[in-house]
Amino acid sequence: MPSYVALLRGINVGGRNPVAMQALAACFLDAGYANVRTHLQSGNVLFDAALSDGAALETALDDLLATAFEVAIPTVVRSRDELADTIASAPADHGSPDLRSDVFFLKRPLTVEAAMGQVPELREGVDSIAPGPGALYFSRVADRATKTRITKFMSMPVFQQMTVWTWRTTTRLLQMLDE
């Protein structure tokens, strides 16, 4: 069976939408997913599934989690190969020690073109954003990170169709899928 990662948006953040990782893993197992494990408290679930359609998996997991936890938990799903492609396609300096780098994963059907079209003007010399496969790569210069303008983008409605993970977490998830 193919391996996937489900990136859950908006759980265990600032005391909102608390979900225990043990309960989350049990939910996936009870639904018939295999090799289920979690990473961190913020909602990363690695699993195997017979279904090979990422969009269908997102819909199925959105419904499953809403029923199980009685709150809408938008889910972005990437196969192991999709995640590897996202990592391989990152700008060369993404994740460098001089930057704070994140990956904004897009929930289907949001497209990279539509998301990029809504990015406000960023601060030159501080922020950078680049398109990738199903994601946006965002970095800000570490010693100027407080000057970022990305918070404006994060307050826009389009941002509700994304989930953000640090570069370190993103690469760690691929390592875990490969273990």
Side-chain angles (χ1 to χ4, degrees):
M1 280 193 284
S3 295
Y4 296 91
V5 61
L7 306 167
L8 282 57
R9 185 179 198 289
I11 67 167
N12 300 335
V13 177
R16 290 189 10 224
N17 301 329
V19 175
M21 293 302 99
Q22 198 169 24
L24 184 59
C27 179
F28 272 67
L29 287 167
D30 291 347
Y33 298 107
N35 197 22
V36 176
R37 57 221 187 272
T38 61
H39 176 62
L40 302 177
Q41 290 296 317
S42 54
N44 301 291
V45 182
L46 300 108
F47 64 101
D48 296 344
L51 189 60
S52 62
D53 179 339
L57 271 171
E58 284 182 1
T59 300
L61 291 173
D62 284 349
D63 293 344
L64 173 70
L65 297 173
T67 300
F69 299 105
E70 299 178 346
V71 64
I73 303 173
T75 306
V76 174
V77 174
R78 295 296 184 262
S79 70
R80 183 257 170 235
D81 292 344
E82 288 171 326
L83 185 61
D85 188 31
T86 297
I87 291 168
S89 300
D93 63 345
H94 202 72
S96 79
D98 297 331
L99 300 174
R100 290 189 188 169
S101 299
D102 299 313
V103 180
F104 291 29
F105 289 94
L106 309 183
K107 183 167 179 57
R108 295 169 180 100
L110 180 62
T111 65
V112 170
E113 295 78 16
M116 285 293 292
Q118 294 193 43
V119 174
E121 184 178 342
L122 299 176
R123 191 173 300 270
E124 190 173 329
V126 176
D127 299 322
S128 66
I129 197 159
L136 304 178
Y137 305 102
F138 175 71
S139 289
R140 58 235 173 260
V141 176
D143 63 358
R144 299 189 70 207
T146 59
K147 306 286 186 203
T148 186
R149 288 190 182 151
I150 200 65
T151 51
K152 182 176 181 182
F153 183 59
M154 295 171 87
S155 68
M156 297 172 69
V158 70
F159 189 72
Q160 299 304 308
Q161 300 172 60
M162 301 177 199
T163 187
V164 180
W165 299 97
T166 66
W167 184 245
R168 181 178 176 173
T169 297
T170 301
T171 57
R172 176 66 184 127
L173 290 170
L174 181 59
Q175 290 171 349
M176 290 177 71
L177 285 170
D178 286 342
E179 292 173 350

